[in-house]
Amino acid sequence: MDLNNIPKPTESELEILQILWLHGPSSVRFVNEKLNEEREVGYTTTLKLMQIMVDKGLALRNTESRTHIYQAAVSEADTQKRLLQKFVDTTFRGSAMKLVMQALGNHQASPEELDEIKALIEKMESGGDDN
Amino acid sequence: MDLNNIPKPTESELEILQILWLHGPSSVRFVNEKLNEEREVGYTTTLKLMQIMVDKGLALRNTESRTHIYQAAVSEADTQKRLLQKFVDTTFRGSAMKLVMQALGNHQASPEELDEIKALIEKMESGGDDN
DNA sequence: AATGATATACGAAGAGTTTCGTAAAAGCAA
DNA sequence: TTGCTTTTACGAAACTCTTCGTATATCATT
């Protein structure tokens, strides 16, 4: 696959990335077991997906030992940012604020979390040009 | 398609829904022209998609005149809510607050918008159970 | 060495999505 | 009526994603 220019991960690939981000470099077996805590997936299915991810540049693998070790090749924060951008565009016509309001309204937040958000807003309102 | 139990719209279907939500009941030609403001799409491609959307229950159509008129069969708010829920789960491991923080950080908001959010937070902090 | 377990490689089937060519029907204009 | 345009209907190709069967290689155990 094209070095540089890494594509958007699919649903299944994102699930695997979540595991790699959370647990660090992992074997296919480990990832497959984690996936199977959520839903049934065959071992070779997971293997194939992870091989494709390497091909796409979403993951790297170390083939020194017989059991190959895979790791994420894209960062969680960057990926979230990219996917969020696209999601805001397609689902909220680019209005991040509408999304924020929806998210705040739908999900209940703890007082601590709300304070965190308020703090961020304060910061944005004071030094409110850059970023 | 199954009445009731309407599936999640695909990317292309969502694009079309956006147009229908924004402009109300529309002909295939109109929708196709709007789509072509963004990217090149053939007329029959748009037609086929819209027919499928009727089949899935995502859209309704009036066939009284020769030019059929389509309208969204699902509301914008409900759809956004559904898609947001799924997006939070898959991309932010269920943490709506992380998503909110990201969205606030990435996109610049006007003071008015920030105030709106603050107002919502105040409301949540006072009467903070229901909703 | 032989057996069994575990790993990767390969390829292809099946489902869903997107695209569009072609045909048929309906309306319009000369 | 005869053609030209617009519209819908139909079906299939192209593409992507997911899944898994089968083959092959590697390792450990006896």
Side-chain angles (χ1 to χ4, degrees), chain B:
Chain B
M1 176 93 0
D2 260 338
L3 271 325
N4 244 346
N5 182 32
I6 292 168
K8 170 170 168 280
T10 67
E11 284 288 306
S12 298
E13 288 165 351
L14 190 53
E15 278 185 293
I16 292 173
L17 281 175
Q18 296 289 5
I19 292 168
L20 294 179
W21 286 327
L22 198 54
H23 298 96
S26 311
S27 67
V28 174
R29 179 145 310 279
F30 178 81
V31 170
N32 184 246
E33 275 162 9
K34 286 293 170 191
L35 286 179
N36 273 277
E37 290 172 9
E38 302 300 323
R39 60 191 180 86
E40 197 178 305
V41 201
Y43 177 85
T44 53
T45 300
T46 303
L47 170 65
K48 183 67 164 186
L49 281 172
M50 293 175 77
Q51 288 171 337
I52 290 172
M53 287 170 73
V54 171
D55 211 50
K56 289 184 177 176
L58 292 168
L60 300 171
R61 71 175 160 183
N62 183 324
T63 60
E64 278 169 23
S65 55
R66 182 165 86 102
T67 303
H68 298 180
I69 301 299
Y70 292 73
Q71 63 179 304
V74 292
S75 84
E76 179 171 18
D78 283 356
T79 304
Q80 285 173 340
K81 186 172 175 176
R82 278 187 59 192
L83 296 181
L84 178 58
Q85 179 61 56
K86 179 146 204 158
F87 182 72
V88 168
D89 286 347
T90 59
T91 305
F92 288 84
R93 287 200 211 95
S95 168
M97 289 311 116
K98 274 188 68 179
L99 173 139
V100 168
M101 300 290 284
Q102 269 269 15
L104 283 176
N106 294 163
H107 306 262
Q108 62 197 34
S110 70
E112 294 76 28
E113 289 172 324
L114 292 179
D115 285 347
E116 235 185 301
I117 295 169
K118 278 204 292 190
L120 177 59
I121 291 178
E122 302 294 345
K123 219 178 74 182
M124 293 176 74
E125 285 188 322
S126 59
D129 41 347
D130 58 283
N131 228 8

Side-chain angles (χ1 to χ4, degrees), chain A residues 80-96:
Chain A
Q80 285 175 340
K81 186 172 174 176
R82 277 187 61 191
L83 296 180
L84 177 59
Q85 178 61 57
K86 179 147 204 157
F87 183 71
V88 168
D89 286 347
T90 58
T91 306
F92 288 84
R93 286 200 212 96
S95 169

